């Protein structure tokens, strides 16, 4: 008989925690999982799922306009913010129910409480004050938006958490940040009719992406009417008349808006978790330090997902959870593979990308072949939109391996998923060349760019 109350105790009911708990319970392990808010975590409750729903909502204004070019006469349109919020809530509640059902069906004990470590194998449940023990403890508590406490007036601002449930849609908004979240919300709010300004301290938005896509998206957003202020920061936020916020910036002076949103990074949820009582070490950002198998510095305690600050993406947390199960319960040591992760930015237009940017590849390889196409998508020919698609393949000239693929345009995220398989398999440019095109599609450009647009040798671009 086990000396512990549980074989596995999971702290955190997000994607990684739920997957770990469900799979372990399905293997016959005695599992408990504790979540202090709602099951589903950041992704389902206040992240990628509601965000994507809001992206869809924000695109309809353009769809209505585009319809005229295809012979449709669309009547008067009107947007109801509260209806969208209610519909979103209904959907995430449904998904939360599915998460709970999966855990319950597998035999896991579901606890609705905050849980904190009190020792190497001990967890205290704040809801009841009870302390329980477990042979293994898995920490999957995720992260939260940085409140940017150093900013005077930060308490007058919102983050992505509050943006989904604002009581009213603001007439104007200033969003600070230049990453995924800032760029996506800038497009969402603009698409819903909000006068939108994006402010970012860097020279160009989306700092880790390929330069062509960064510049292309920047130009497309400004063409749509989003104001983008680069190389500038908010220095303070103060109350204005009629509920407005006055943001004082370094270079552009005062900007009066109805709402200020901070999208300046995310922080691991390790504060007050009791890590010190169990000997779990963290880094300077508060992220839990783990080895290649998600083991912390404390025996029997593991961590995965955003709380480890390795790669902050939901599919990564799920992958890490499956590796944890393979390693700990199936006698099959499996280390998470964080190489060549395909990703998308649900901006408007979208970005889909996998592999190295041109800048990264040029530093790594002696000679790089760059295949680049920029064109007007077929839909825009009748709608009259000026938008352009950009497609780009980066090829190591020495062995013809495709080391990066980048797309800006409609359905870029969908294409990136399939490109991820190709690059993961080590496909060469020759493999792309002998693949038949699907016509007429935008994606056919990926297999019909036969000659390099230019080359990069020793970091220098040549014809």
């Amino acid at each position: 008989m086990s000396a512990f109350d549980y074989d596995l105790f999971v702290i955190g009911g997000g994607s990684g925690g739920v997957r770990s708990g469900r799979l372990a319970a399905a293997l016959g392990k005695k599992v408990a999982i504790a979540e202090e808010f709602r099951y589903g975590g950041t992704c389902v409750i206040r992240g990628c799922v509601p965000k994507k729903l809001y992206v869809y909502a924000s695109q309809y204004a353009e769809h209505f306009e585009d319809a005229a070019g295809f012979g449709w006469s669309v009547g008067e349109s009107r947007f109801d913010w509260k209806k969208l919020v209610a519909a979103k809530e209904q959907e995430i509640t449904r998904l939360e129910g599915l998460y709970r059902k999966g855990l319950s069906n597998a035999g896991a004990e579901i606890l609705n409480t905050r849980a904190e470590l009190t020792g190497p194998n001990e967890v205290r449940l704040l809801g009841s004050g009870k302390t329980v023990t477990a042979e293994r403890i898995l920490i999957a508590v995720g992260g939260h938006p940085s409140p940017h406490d150093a900013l005077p007036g930060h308490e007058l601002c919102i983050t992505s958490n509050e943006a989904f449930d604002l009581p009213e849609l603001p007439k104007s908004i200033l969003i600070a940040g230049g990453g995924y979240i800032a760029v996506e919300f800038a497009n969402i709010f603009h698409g819903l009719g909000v006068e939108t300004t994006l402010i970012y301290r860097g020279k160009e938005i989306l700092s880790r992406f390929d330069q062509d896509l960064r510049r292309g998206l920047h130009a497309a957003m400004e063409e749509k009417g989003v104001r983008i202020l680069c190389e500038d920061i908010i220095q303070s936020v103060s109350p204005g008349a009629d509920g407005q916020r006055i943001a004082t910036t370094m270079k552009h002076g005062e900007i009066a808006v109805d709402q200020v949103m901070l999208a300046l990074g995310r922080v691991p949820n390790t504060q007050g978790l009791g890590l010190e009582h169990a000997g779990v070490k963290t880094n300077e950002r508060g992220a839990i330090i783990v080895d290649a198998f998600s083991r912390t510095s404390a025996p029997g305690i593991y961590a995965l997902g955003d709380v480890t600050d390795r790669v902050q993406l939901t599919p990564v947390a799920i992958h890490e959870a499956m590796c944890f199960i393979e390693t700990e319960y199936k006698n099959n040591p499996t280390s998470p593979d964080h190489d060549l992760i395909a990703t998308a930015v649900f901006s408007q237009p979208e970005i889909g990308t996998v592999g190295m940017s041109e800048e990264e590849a040029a530093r790594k390889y002696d000679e790089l072949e760059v295949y680049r196409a920029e064109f007007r998508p077929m839909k825009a020919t009748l709608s009259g939109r000026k938008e352009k698609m950009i497609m780009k393949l980066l090829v190591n000239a020495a062995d013809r391996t495709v080391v990066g693929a980048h797309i800006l345009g409609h359905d870029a995220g969908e294409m990136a998923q399939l490109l991820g398989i190709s690059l993961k398999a080590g496909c060469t440019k020759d493999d792309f060349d002998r693949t038949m095109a699907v016509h007429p599609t935008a994606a056919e450009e990926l297999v019909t760019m036969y000659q390099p647009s230019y080359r990069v040798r020793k970091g220098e671009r040549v014809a």
Side-chain angles (χ1 to χ4, degrees):
M1 187 174 181
S2 174
F4 300 101
D5 297 319
Y6 299 100
D7 297 315
L8 175 65
F9 194 100
V10 181
I11 305 177
S15 297
V18 168
R19 181 63 63 94
S20 302
R22 180 170 62 80
L23 293 179
L27 291 172
K29 304 300 177 182
K30 189 175 182 183
V31 176
I33 181 169
E35 168 58 51
E36 63 179 304
F37 183 50
R38 296 177 68 177
Y39 280 81
T42 296
C43 179
V44 171
I45 305 302
R46 50 186 177 266
C48 33
V49 170
K51 174 208 57 190
K52 189 70 180 288
L53 295 174
Y54 282 24
V55 167
Y56 287 139
S58 67
Q59 291 172 339
Y60 276 95
E62 286 192 356
H63 292 337
F64 295 148
E65 292 176 359
D66 290 351
F70 292 87
W72 287 91
S73 297
V74 179
E76 180 184 356
S77 61
R78 198 160 38 101
F79 174 68
D80 189 323
W81 168 254
K82 291 183 179 179
K83 280 188 177 180
L84 174 61
V85 173
K88 174 271 300 180
E89 185 60 30
Q90 183 177 10
E91 175 59 11
I92 65 173
T93 299
R94 182 185 73 84
L95 293 173
E96 181 185 9
L98 293 177
Y99 269 60
R100 287 176 172 272
K101 184 178 180 181
L103 287 165
S104 180
N105 288 348
E109 183 179 348
I110 301 172
L111 304 172
N112 301 302
T113 178
R114 179 176 174 83
E116 297 175 359
L117 298 173
T118 54
N121 296 95
E122 290 184 349
V123 178
R124 184 163 65 94
L125 309 178
L126 269 63
S128 63
K130 181 181 177 182
T131 297
V132 298
T133 61
E135 181 180 13
R136 290 177 175 86
I137 297 171
L138 177 66
I139 303 170
V141 293
H144 63 274
S146 170
H148 207 51
D149 293 335
L151 175 69
H154 68 89
E155 69 280 357
L156 299 172
C157 307
I158 63 169
T159 67
S160 57
N161 282 359
E162 296 79 36
F164 292 113
D165 297 291
L166 293 172
E168 302 288 343
L169 190 65
K171 290 184 174 62
S172 58
I173 190 167
L174 174 64
I175 301 176
Y180 285 80
I181 295 171
V183 167
E184 289 172 339
F185 271 99
N187 283 276
I188 287 170
F189 280 115
H190 175 263
L192 296 177
V194 179
E195 183 183 315
T196 303
T197 302
L198 184 69
I199 185 169
Y200 179 50
R201 69 187 311 157
K203 292 183 178 181
E204 186 57 275
I205 57 175
L206 297 174
S207 62
R208 294 174 186 161
F209 286 77
D210 188 87
Q211 192 69 253
D212 275 344
L213 271 62
R214 299 169 68 193
R215 291 170 178 162
L217 178 60
H218 185 141
M221 288 174 63
E222 288 194 323
E223 175 70 26
K224 289 173 184 285
V226 178
R227 185 185 182 200
I228 300 178
L229 310 176
C230 287
E231 298 184 278
D232 200 359
I233 61 171
I234 299 175
Q235 294 182 309
S236 66
V237 179
S238 56
D242 300 322
Q244 278 196 324
R245 275 75 164 161
I246 307 299
T248 303
T249 70
M250 183 176 68
K251 293 173 63 176
H252 290 84
E254 291 186 349
I255 300 175
V257 289
D258 289 335
Q259 194 61 259
V260 176
M261 176 177 167
L262 303 180
L264 299 167
R266 294 179 63 81
V267 181
N269 282 329
T270 50
Q271 191 70 31
L273 201 55
L275 301 180
E276 66 281 3
H277 301 308
V280 177
K281 294 180 180 179
T282 59
N283 64 16
E284 66 282 354
R285 281 179 40 80
I288 295 176
I289 299 170
V290 294
D291 68 6
F293 297 94
S294 298
R295 296 178 292 221
T296 72
S297 55
I301 300 181
Y302 308 78
L304 54 81
D306 290 3
V307 75
T308 66
D309 201 23
R310 287 178 282 186
V311 180
Q312 295 187 24
L313 293 170
T314 299
V316 173
I318 293 171
H319 171 67
E320 291 170 355
M322 295 169 73
C323 291
F324 165 75
I325 294 296
E326 288 291 324
T327 300
E328 297 302 318
Y329 293 119
K330 293 188 177 181
N331 196 30
N332 178 30
T334 305
S335 177
D337 181 2
H338 296 120
D339 186 38
L340 287 174
I341 298 172
T343 190
V345 181
F346 293 106
S347 48
Q348 299 174 43
E350 281 182 17
I351 283 177
T353 182
V354 59
M356 298 182 184
S357 67
E358 181 180 331
E359 294 74 26
E360 292 172 317
R363 287 193 294 268
K364 180 171 182 178
Y365 299 106
D366 288 339
E367 183 172 344
L368 192 66
E369 295 177 355
V370 180
Y371 297 79
R372 186 186 187 280
E374 184 170 345
F375 57 95
R376 193 179 187 191
M378 189 174 183
K379 184 180 177 182
T381 60
L382 294 190
S383 71
R385 292 208 174 272
K386 297 178 181 179
E387 66 188 52
K388 295 287 184 69
M389 289 195 76
I390 297 174
M391 292 194 177
K392 190 172 181 181
L393 295 177
L394 305 172
V395 177
N396 175 17
D399 62 8
R400 302 280 287 162
T401 301
V402 180
V403 298
H406 309 285
I407 303 168
L408 174 70
H410 290 295
D411 298 321
E414 303 289 343
M415 290 184 244
Q417 178 65 85
L418 300 178
L419 284 167
I421 300 171
S422 300
L423 268 67
K424 200 72 171 175
C427 287
T428 66
K429 183 61 171 62
D430 298 323
D431 294 321
F432 277 65
D433 289 346
R434 66 171 177 262
T435 300
M436 199 71 72
V438 178
H439 181 76
T441 65
E444 67 184 290
E445 291 289 333
L446 294 168
V447 298
T448 58
M449 295 186 287
Y450 297 118
Q451 297 297 322
S453 304
Y454 55 91
R455 297 172 184 268
V456 180
R457 291 196 188 106
K458 303 292 185 182
E460 296 294 327
R461 177 170 170 169
V462 295

